[in-house]
Amino acid sequence: MQEERTRVVGPFLPIWQEALSDRSGVAFGEVVAAHVRLEGSIFAAPIEGREKVWTSLRAAGGITDALCFTRESTAPDRSYLEWKLEALDRQFEGVTVLSFDSAGLVDNVAVHHRPLGGLLAFSAEMSRRLGDSLGSGLFYEAPPG
């Protein structure tokens, strides 16, 4: 049974890392609202719903060679996670902003990659791996040639 949370007051990073590392999705489901929304710099439109968000994050994890969280700042209704990432033979930096609903569950995930060339390559790889399985036009598609 889910533990009732009213406000996030401490570090959320260990909980988030555990949720992402549990391949079954059970830990993710325990900390994320059913109506969670995923948005960010690699997406042309938000992704809605726990299953679709989980699928997208797992696909992104499959592209990632290394991820290191470098800093966290947490307020009662959100957590900011800065990170460095290696993927596609590139170096990225970015921030993930997790917003919490009144029950303390994550209801919005905003992931922002930089630099631009890398984020376009990452988005194109997400498109290659997921196609339209989560909806059409969600990712950047590199021009042919």
Side-chain angles (χ1 to χ4, degrees):
M1 184 170 197
Q2 271 186 18
E3 175 183 316
E4 188 70 23
R5 298 179 196 93
T6 55
R7 292 180 114 21
V8 175
V9 293
F12 192 74
L13 179 57
I15 296 165
W16 188 244
Q17 287 177 301
E18 180 182 339
L20 294 179
S21 65
D22 174 12
R23 293 187 183 269
S24 73
V26 172
F28 185 78
E30 291 175 350
V31 300
V32 174
H35 61 275
V36 66
R37 175 184 175 125
L38 173 63
E39 56 190 343
S41 55
I42 68 166
F43 306 107
I47 296 171
E48 307 271 350
R50 186 184 293 140
E51 291 304 316
K52 288 183 178 181
V53 169
W54 175 245
T55 298
S56 181
L57 292 174
R58 292 303 308 156
I63 297 168
T64 301
D65 296 319
L67 172 63
C68 176
F69 289 97
T70 58
R71 193 169 288 117
E72 175 182 17
S73 180
T74 302
D77 66 342
R78 66 191 68 234
S79 184
Y80 302 89
L81 309 173
E82 293 181 47
W83 43 264
K84 292 183 178 189
L85 173 84
E86 293 177 23
L88 306 172
D89 295 322
R90 298 170 183 253
Q91 304 292 316
F92 298 83
E93 290 187 33
V95 63
T96 298
V97 181
L98 304 171
S99 300
F100 303 97
D101 65 13
S102 61
L105 297 174
V106 175
D107 66 354
N108 196 79
V109 180
V111 183
H112 302 285
H113 296 68
R114 62 184 185 274
L116 178 61
L119 84 86
L120 292 174
F122 202 99
S123 186
E125 181 62 16
M126 291 285 286
S127 178
R128 188 186 73 72
R129 291 181 184 216
L130 293 172
D132 288 338
S133 65
L134 302 179
S136 64
L138 291 177
F139 303 104
Y140 174 74
E141 293 188 33

